[in-house]
Amino acid sequence: MTLERFNQLEPSEAVAVLRPCIDVSRWIDEIAQARPFTSIEALLDCAGKAANPFADAEIDSALSHHPRIGERAAGSNAEAALSRSEQAALGPTDAQVAAELVAGNRAYEEKFGRVFLIRAAGRSSREILAALNERLQNTPETENPIVAQQLREIALLRLKGGVTA
């Protein structure tokens, strides 16, 4: 969708465009209400500011929609389709890396009580596994800001891919 068209949408339609980027109502509402934007850069700047910081409850809510790394997102909604596309870009994963991702996901969930989240776009499955193993060493106080940053990156990448000049 072009920026011009995004600016012209009814508020409920703009919300529907933004929700697949990250399902955080405050973030969505701030961007939808800030329209019209004069450029993609202005849109992304607004979105970045609205995403920093995400509250803990917003992070928990957003994470409830994310599949485990290496698992296919269920559902036919736009967010699930974006997730499948992002993870498909990882390319084929060998059996050992896949097994280590499953074990790492399980260990992460046991330690932190939520799914491991990382911006998959631009990363290989081996890079993701290395990051997962590194982040398993974190404390919750160290990990929480990293998760928030990954959510911001995902949201902005999705927005940039969904609204163009």
Side-chain angles (χ1 to χ4, degrees), residues 14-97:
V15 165
V17 168
L18 293 166
R19 189 163 310 283
C21 297
I22 185 170
D23 195 359
V24 173
S25 294
R26 178 195 52 80
W27 182 83
I28 292 166
D29 292 343
E30 282 185 36
I31 297 166
Q33 292 172 10
R35 295 172 307 136
F37 295 101
T38 57
S39 67
I40 293 295
E41 293 76 20
L43 168 62
L44 294 174
D45 182 60
C46 175
K49 287 177 181 171
N52 196 13
F54 281 132
D56 290 343
E58 292 172 330
I59 292 169
D60 292 341
S61 174
L63 287 175
S64 70
H65 300 278
H66 281 271
R68 291 175 183 95
I69 288 291
E71 290 185 2
R72 184 172 170 81
S76 59
N77 63 23
E79 187 174 9
L82 285 168
S83 182
R84 285 191 296 271
S85 173
E86 292 158 357
Q87 288 205 39
L90 295 174
T93 302
D94 67 46
Q96 180 181 350
V97 171

Side-chain angles (χ1 to χ4, degrees), residues 80-146:
L82 285 168
S83 182
R84 285 191 296 271
S85 173
E86 292 158 357
Q87 288 205 39
L90 295 174
T93 302
D94 67 46
Q96 180 181 350
V97 171
E100 289 179 33
L101 281 171
V102 168
N105 280 327
R106 188 176 309 115
Y108 186 94
E109 289 174 26
E110 287 173 9
K111 181 171 183 174
F112 295 107
R114 61 179 176 226
V115 298
F116 170 71
L117 182 84
I118 191 168
R119 175 192 40 80
R123 292 187 166 113
S124 71
S125 54
R126 290 189 185 280
E127 289 172 314
I128 290 172
L129 179 59
L132 172 56
N133 287 329
E134 181 179 315
R135 287 173 52 190
L136 276 168
Q137 306 310 309
N138 290 342
T139 64
E141 296 76 26
T142 305
E143 183 63 9
N144 290 346
I146 295 170

